[in-house]
Amino acid sequence: MNAVGVLGHRRAGTVLSLLFVVLAVVGVTVPYVVGLGALSLLGVYIAVPLVAVAALYWSRVDASAVERLDTTRFRLLVGAYFLCLGVSILLLGVAPVRPFAYYGVVAVASTLVFAQIPSAESAERTVAVLLQTVLLTLSLVWGVAFKYNYYFARTDVFPHAWYTEVLLASGEVTTTFDDYRAFPLWHLLGASEDLLSGVGWAPRYYLFLTSGLVFGAVAVGVYLLAMRLFDSRRIALTAAWLTPLNTFVLQYATEAIPRSVTSFLGIGLFLAMLSRGRAFRALFGLFALGIVVYHPVTVPFLFVIVGVFYGAQRLVPGTADASLVRLSDVGILLAVQVVYWVGWAPYIVEHVVENVRSTGASGGTTGVTNSGILASPLGEVANYVQFSFLVLFVGYALVVCVSKRDVPPAGVVTVVAAALLSTLSFPGPLLFLQSVSENFNVFRFGQYTYPLISVAAGAGLVWLTRSRFRWPSSRHVMRGFVLLLVLSMSFTAVSNDFVASDNPVVERQFYTFYLSESEQDGLETLVDVTPGLVMADYISCRYLTYSPHTETCHILEVDPEAGRVFFGGESNLVVVRDGELRDRGAIQLFPTTEFVETPSYDAYLTYVDRESPVWEDLADRNKVYATDDVEAYAASGRAENRE
């Protein structure tokens, strides 16, 4: 007899909701007791929605009827959506950076789409909702990627744009591609679009264009996946609507890198996995092969996800016969990965082994990822609020599905798997282990788990809107509460510093994700005139490393305690992006007490703010270049040379 059978469905939900409260209390109090107050504060973004799930569940009475819109009101909502979309595009065009008003208009447009979902029962209305979701996705992706001079997201745009330029210039895959020598399909696609179009864009814009189209299709793919798992049009449309509001989706969609394509292929892989027949087995293998060819290290993440899904299917009472995932699926993923790595890219295996060895030897590194968490926990937690809504919806889906008898087995497995995978997807305890987050890229799980999380969160939000509660007992009050949740989630999803570092509502310790024309011109000019190296911040070096000036940049080394800047040689120039220092308050540099010839700046950097004494060390240096955004100093011309 299974656990649910012993406890009863209602009691199982009660026990689970109590467990959520315990986890919330422990997650906040334990870090505080051991002296990690910043982490305790950060845990609030998970603790609050967990407690809210319990409160909602205990107040829940039963399901209520769904109020549907007539044709006139449905069309009014669609018209209002397109009006908001037009206003958002206008704001993108007239404002130098995306204003807060843009985020607000997008949030209203998103809420208008959500309001249409309960009435989207016909094929025509379903298509209308999906079309609006796709257009919202394209607006969010292209609205930032095409707006700024050189949008680079989390700096991964630099190498992939450069590889595409090299491919166009040389006509072949060269050693410049590094680990991507055996995986150049994304760059070949961008180069082909450049050659066929004849528009004359910079190659990165073709990658942005393609990535937007891919993620527009991703929303439709999530809809199909949810229909397969729940057979509910309302849940499926809600899941599709939630997709572009996921921080990881927006982040990777705008980055336009090979991993972006694998997101779409991953949904195809899930759909093939959930279907029956030899043709779908073959299709599953083809999707797995396509993922490996596009990106070398995506399948290991999918391997874990499929494994968790399989484990949920075997362990959740009453779902063992659902046959959603078979061991053969796991075997196919493993076989395709190993064969391709060993046969076509053995250097990738060596690279992975080296990463594992470096982790074990060093015991982890203290990189830039966690610096803001301890320095400004309030700013961090404010930028995690959008995850709180997903935690709320997934958590509510979990307590409801264990207490309802009419949830399909596939739906139960999906919700349980999504809840388990959420611990790897949202910023949480595992991500505070720097050796894990840096060397094993646990943070990337969010890119691959979002389809399942969107489906589970969609189910939770639908069940929340259909539930009646002891308090508030008024359906109108509850409807207003849900719309407020949706509006708030939509606003925080597009305005947080992870996806809106051009103008976030609450700044955290991070960098602006684009180079202005003045910054780009300044770096290009200085690298051309200096006889030595350009000593600059992390972003500047990432840009120059993936350019014709590959060997010209050295990460600027400083001693923050002693207030010292290391020039590294008389012929070198120290370059400071003064505009970034002024706007964001800090830039990333390499901290050291003595000059290091080959610093491993990928492993350890620190943010040096504008109040740091290191800038006083440049006061009596010879300033040889200055614009509003960039300044450069020569080693010579100092009154007193301190060694």
Side-chain angles (χ1 to χ4, degrees):
M1 183 175 294
N2 59 59
V4 173
V6 172
L7 294 173
H9 287 272
R10 181 69 185 180
R11 189 172 297 176
T14 302
V15 170
L16 185 58
S17 61
L18 286 172
L19 179 61
F20 281 173
V21 175
V22 172
L23 289 175
V25 173
V26 170
V28 172
T29 57
V30 169
Y32 183 81
V33 169
V34 299
L36 298 175
L39 300 188
S40 176
L41 180 60
L42 194 64
V44 169
Y45 91 91
I46 294 178
V48 169
L50 288 179
V51 173
V53 167
L56 287 169
Y57 181 77
W58 295 337
S59 179
R60 178 175 178 267
V61 179
D62 55 23
S64 61
V66 179
E67 182 177 341
R68 293 172 174 82
L69 301 172
D70 58 34
T71 301
T72 301
R73 287 191 292 172
F74 187 87
R75 288 176 177 174
L76 283 174
L77 290 181
V78 174
Y81 165 84
F82 280 102
L83 177 63
C84 289
L85 187 64
V87 171
S88 70
I89 294 173
L90 179 64
L91 289 172
L92 285 174
V94 300
V97 297
R98 295 183 300 172
F100 291 170
Y102 169 80
Y103 307 139
V105 172
V106 168
V108 172
S110 172
T111 305
L112 289 169
V113 177
F114 173 79
Q116 300 167 38
I117 291 175
S119 303
E121 295 182 324
S122 66
E124 292 80 6
R125 289 189 176 188
T126 297
V127 171
V129 171
L130 287 176
L131 176 62
Q132 292 170 79
T133 302
V134 170
L135 291 177
L136 183 65
T137 304
L138 294 177
S139 174
L140 291 171
V141 175
W142 291 342
V144 64
F146 284 100
K147 179 173 177 58
Y148 298 111
N149 174 66
Y150 197 129
Y151 174 78
F152 57 78
R154 293 297 175 259
T155 76
D156 281 344
V157 172
F158 289 140
H160 296 290
W162 173 235
Y163 297 157
T164 307
E165 290 183 35
V166 170
L167 188 59
L168 285 166
S170 65
E172 60 181 348
V173 177
T174 68
T175 55
T176 303
F177 278 65
D178 297 327
D179 290 342
Y180 285 87
R181 293 194 307 273
F183 312 93
L185 285 186
W186 179 242
H187 317 97
L188 286 167
L189 179 61
S192 299
E193 292 172 359
D194 181 282
L195 294 173
L196 290 172
S197 70
V199 175
W201 282 351
R204 64 181 179 275
Y205 290 123
Y206 294 99
L207 303 181
F208 292 147
L209 176 68
T210 306
S211 185
L213 294 174
V214 166
F215 276 88
V218 158
V220 179
V222 171
Y223 169 81
L224 296 174
L225 181 64
M227 283 295 293
R228 173 65 180 83
L229 293 167
F230 278 93
D231 193 26
S232 167
R233 184 172 296 184
R234 188 176 178 187
I235 290 177
L237 286 174
T238 305
W241 167 79
L242 282 168
T243 299
L245 299 179
N246 188 307
T247 294
F248 297 111
V249 172
L250 286 181
Q251 180 178 329
Y252 284 101
T254 56
E255 281 189 336
I257 56 180
R259 293 200 303 273
S260 304
V261 180
T262 61
S263 293
F264 175 74
L265 295 176
I267 294 175
L269 182 131
F270 278 119
L271 286 170
M273 179 183 70
L274 297 173
S275 303
R276 294 293 169 261
R278 292 182 179 179
F280 288 106
R281 293 296 89 213
L283 191 60
F284 179 86
L286 287 176
F287 275 119
L289 179 61
I291 290 169
V292 172
V293 172
Y294 261 105
H295 190 256
V297 290
T298 287
V299 168
F301 293 93
L302 295 178
F303 184 83
V304 173
I305 294 168
V306 172
V308 170
F309 206 93
Y310 178 79
Q313 174 186 287
R314 302 301 300 175
L315 295 176
V316 174
T319 64
D321 296 330
S323 299
L324 301 173
V325 185
R326 288 145 296 197
L327 281 176
S328 60
D329 299 326
V330 181
I332 290 173
L333 282 176
L334 181 61
V336 170
Q337 181 76 77
V338 171
V339 169
Y340 197 86
W341 274 12
V342 174
W344 281 269
Y347 59 89
I348 294 292
V349 180
E350 297 173 3
H351 183 67
V352 171
V353 172
E354 182 61 31
N355 272 348
V356 173
R357 287 177 176 174
S358 66
T359 303
S362 66
T365 55
T366 307
V368 299
T369 303
N370 294 336
S371 58
I373 294 174
L374 300 179
S376 181
L378 279 176
E380 288 289 320
V381 75
N383 281 286
Y384 290 164
V385 169
Q386 72 278 7
F387 293 115
S388 297
F389 295 100
L390 290 176
V391 172
L392 173 66
F393 300 149
V394 172
Y396 191 75
L398 187 59
V399 295
V400 169
C401 78
V402 299
S403 62
K404 286 170 61 72
R405 299 177 184 273
D406 57 350
V407 180
V412 177
V413 172
T414 301
V415 171
V416 171
L420 293 173
L421 291 169
S422 295
T423 62
L424 294 176
S425 304
F426 301 147
L430 284 177
L431 300 181
F432 298 133
L433 301 176
Q434 193 67 32
S435 62
V436 176
S437 63
E438 289 293 327
N439 293 85
F440 292 103
N441 291 308
V442 173
F443 203 66
R444 287 187 186 174
F445 268 108
Q447 180 196 353
Y448 305 110
T449 59
Y450 74 82
L452 294 178
I453 289 176
S454 293
V455 173
L461 182 52
V462 168
W463 292 336
L464 179 63
T465 58
R466 295 191 62 182
S467 297
R468 286 201 311 114
F469 298 92
R470 295 185 181 89
W471 190 93
S473 58
S474 170
R475 287 187 298 172
H476 298 293
V477 172
M478 190 61 201
R479 189 178 300 129
F481 171 70
V482 171
L483 287 176
L484 180 61
L485 280 180
V486 167
L487 182 66
S488 301
M489 178 186 180
S490 300
F491 183 81
T492 57
V494 300
S495 64
N496 65 81
D497 206 4
F498 292 101
V499 299
S501 70
D502 52 338
N503 189 26
V505 172
V506 179
E507 280 193 4
R508 57 195 281 269
Q509 193 177 71
F510 213 65
Y511 48 76
T512 307
F513 55 25
Y514 68 92
L515 286 175
S516 68
E517 186 175 0
S518 174
E519 288 174 320
Q520 189 177 8
D521 290 345
L523 291 173
E524 294 284 351
T525 299
L526 291 168
V527 79
D528 283 337
V529 300
T530 180
L533 295 173
V534 168
M535 314 292 288
D537 66 295
Y538 171 69
I539 298 301
S540 300
C541 281
R542 282 284 283 178
Y543 168 69
L544 292 173
T545 296
Y546 295 102
S547 75
H549 315 290
T550 300
E551 303 295 334
T552 58
C553 194
H554 184 103
I555 189 73
L556 179 57
E557 302 180 30
V558 298
D559 186 343
E561 297 296 327
R564 185 176 183 184
V565 175
F566 297 95
F567 276 75
E570 290 297 317
S571 61
N572 297 339
L573 287 179
V574 165
V575 176
V576 180
R577 290 196 300 137
D578 190 59
E580 176 75 354
L581 193 61
R582 181 177 60 252
D583 294 339
R584 294 291 297 200
I587 55 177
Q588 292 173 277
L589 306 176
F590 184 84
T592 180
T593 56
E594 59 182 17
F595 184 74
V596 180
E597 290 290 341
T598 56
S600 178
Y601 65 85
D602 283 332
Y604 181 73
L605 295 176
T606 189
Y607 282 93
V608 178
D609 62 44
R610 57 190 171 193
E611 305 299 329
S612 173
V614 301
W615 309 120
E616 298 176 8
D617 197 32
L618 297 175
D620 56 351
R621 295 285 189 178
N622 183 20
K623 185 187 292 187
V624 297
Y625 182 90
T627 66
D628 289 340
D629 295 325
V630 178
E631 295 180 350
Y633 299 84
S636 59
R638 182 172 181 159
E640 178 182 357
N641 189 21
R642 181 177 64 194
E643 296 295 339

